Amino acid sequence: MLGHETAPATAGRSGQDEVFQVEGHGIDPIPDTERHGGAKDLFWLWFGSNLTFTYVINGALAVAFGLSFWQATGVVVLGGLSFFVISAAGLSGVRTGTATLVISRAAFGVRGNWPAGLLNWVVSIGYTVVNTVVGTLALEAFLADLGWSGGRLPRAVALAVTLTLTFAVALWGHATVQWAERWMAYALAVGFAALIAFVLPGADTAAPAAAPGASGWSLALVVMLAGPFSYLPMPADYTRYLPRTTSLKSLTWSGGLGGLVSSVALGVAGVAAATQTDMADAVAGTEGLLPGWFGPVFLVLVLGGSVTNSIITLYSSSLNLQVLGIPWSRARAIVISAAVTAVGSLGALFLADFTTSLLAFLSLLIIVFAPWGGVFLADMVLRRCTYDSDALHAAEGGAYGYRAGWHPAGLLALLAGMLFAALTCDSELWTGPLVAPLGGADLTLLGSVVSALVYVVLARRTVRPTPV
């Protein structure tokens, strides 16, 4: 299965990374002769992809959990700062020229990486569905403003348009994704800046009547950090084309600032909106705070932000499928992810209450990708971000063959982190048995710390930097 991953990715293509041409490379290593760009490109990638209305919803949820304006703002900023960690993890892509979920074979083994890869594919599709649904609802409201409402047809058309916009860019590949994120960011930044200017002055900054308990603080942190943490399986996907001379400092600052600025700005807008109106329906609630003439512009902003975020998650999911052994090119594999996204979006839009589903989804995701991220980052630090590139792509044996392709240290650490996260998770779908003894606190995030510590203990004597 693993032996099929590289041949189809470049078949019939030059491998050049050009705008509006289908990218020829998949997870195969990018040759030095085709490396290009600079760290500044990461600013626009992470800035544009996080100009999404989801952060407004997250900010509003923090207030719904009982936090005041300033408390919720502090949690939003903390979530934004985590983008510096996400961006720093992209150094692995610079060093290896391949995708994050290929590099994670070093931590889990070439075969042991498969279960974690499957779970992360589910996570990426889940976030794509969330953003697709938000964009669809915004476009449906826009169509209603134009006079087309009633029945299911407008919603179905809105879904088709949203999926098409996302799929077209992701299908073209890396260069087009970066180009689209930059140019869409220009327009979205202006529009969202206006939205913030309308919403922020009316914010109620007074403290709530009752102080938030441990449950409110922990749930707000989980929701706010779920977005940034969900990117951990993909930073190398967007740095693998950068020249090997790209420094850790430059890519960390560029990407980190991009994600910080957009996520914090929109998160604070959500916090401000929630102190003024009912945000159970976040789109309608925010729209009610805006001048009537700005309403259609706002709905277009929501649609655009959803598309920019969905583009990178959908693109990375196609690389993920190659990691799982799908013997297709990246461009063909993305059709599978797009189809599953469409089915998931149909279910969310026509079969379930979206707000409830969103909250449950965000609160559970951290059980999977926080512990995975802890193992991946711990492994990267232990190796000082050096890898045997050939061994990462070997079907069997090699430096990452371990025991029949499974790395016990990585898998045991992942399971330990997931177990801790599950025991301390407080969500609508699952409440861990340790939540009540902890006073209602949700400590799911610490699953990443648990998995990282377990991995360091188990692997510190066997995992060493690869000579370069």
Side-chain angles (χ1 to χ4, degrees), residues 14-400:
S14 65
Q16 295 300 314
D17 187 38
E18 299 177 3
V19 178
F20 301 131
Q21 290 190 17
V22 177
E23 178 189 1
H25 284 297
I27 62 173
D28 51 307
I30 308 301
D32 288 344
T33 55
E34 296 182 29
R35 302 285 191 102
H36 61 87
K40 64 181 182 300
D41 297 330
L42 296 178
F43 175 87
W44 294 108
L45 176 79
W46 293 113
F47 178 74
S49 62
N50 286 286
L51 284 172
T52 171
F53 193 72
T54 302
Y55 287 105
V56 177
I57 299 175
N58 292 350
L61 286 173
V63 175
F65 293 143
L67 274 64
S68 70
F69 174 86
W70 293 112
Q71 290 168 338
T73 296
V75 174
V76 168
V77 172
L78 182 61
L81 289 172
S82 66
F83 275 102
F84 286 96
V85 177
I86 307 303
S87 189
L91 181 63
S92 59
V94 175
R95 294 281 178 83
T96 63
T98 192
T100 304
L101 284 171
V102 174
I103 301 166
S104 63
R105 289 172 176 169
F108 300 103
V110 292
R111 298 193 185 282
N113 190 60
W114 199 93
L118 178 61
L119 289 173
N120 278 304
W121 180 76
V122 172
V123 168
S124 66
I125 292 299
Y127 256 101
T128 307
V129 169
V130 168
N131 283 291
T132 298
V133 170
V134 171
T136 298
L137 294 176
L139 182 54
E140 181 187 24
F142 181 80
L143 294 175
D145 288 344
L146 296 179
W148 187 20
S149 60
R152 295 189 170 189
L153 183 58
R155 178 170 291 189
V157 170
L159 174 59
V161 171
T162 305
L163 284 171
T164 300
L165 291 173
T166 303
F167 176 73
V169 175
L171 175 66
W172 271 315
H174 177 266
T176 309
V177 168
Q178 288 199 318
W179 179 90
E181 294 292 350
R182 176 188 289 266
W183 287 99
M184 291 181 73
Y186 293 155
L188 291 174
V190 173
F192 276 121
L195 180 149
I196 294 169
F198 288 130
V199 172
L200 195 57
D204 180 2
T205 59
S215 176
W217 279 105
S218 60
L219 285 172
L221 280 168
V222 167
V223 169
M224 213 63 62
L225 288 167
F229 267 60
S230 69
Y231 291 123
L232 271 173
M234 63 182 72
D237 301 1
Y238 304 99
T239 59
R240 70 194 205 280
Y241 278 94
L242 292 178
R244 293 182 187 273
T245 54
T246 305
S247 70
L248 172 62
K249 180 179 178 180
S250 61
L251 68 86
T252 299
W253 276 100
S254 294
L257 282 174
L260 172 71
V261 171
S262 52
S263 66
V264 169
L266 295 183
V268 172
V271 171
T275 65
Q276 303 172 64
T277 188
D278 181 8
M279 291 286 282
D281 182 339
V283 173
T286 305
E287 188 176 13
L289 299 174
L290 303 172
W293 63 267
F294 193 75
V297 177
F298 164 67
L299 295 174
V300 172
L301 290 174
V302 175
L303 171 62
S306 299
V307 169
T308 61
N309 194 264
S310 294
I311 285 171
I312 68 166
T313 53
L314 187 60
Y315 173 80
S316 287
S317 73
S318 65
L319 297 175
N320 196 334
L321 286 175
Q322 287 192 311
V323 175
L324 294 176
I326 299 295
W328 291 357
S329 68
R330 180 206 59 82
R332 290 178 63 193
I334 205 171
V335 175
I336 298 176
S337 294
V340 176
T341 298
V343 172
S345 300
L346 284 169
L349 286 164
F350 295 103
L351 301 177
D353 175 74
F354 176 61
T355 302
T356 301
S357 299
L358 174 65
L359 178 58
F361 177 69
L362 290 176
S363 62
L364 278 180
L365 280 182
I366 205 78
I367 292 178
V368 177
F369 54 72
W372 182 93
V375 175
F376 176 75
L377 292 174
D379 182 78
M380 192 173 75
V381 171
L382 287 177
R383 298 180 190 279
R384 298 179 187 174
C385 205
T386 61
Y387 302 90
D388 182 335
S389 294
D390 291 336
L392 288 173
H393 295 273
E396 57 185 25
Y400 312 122

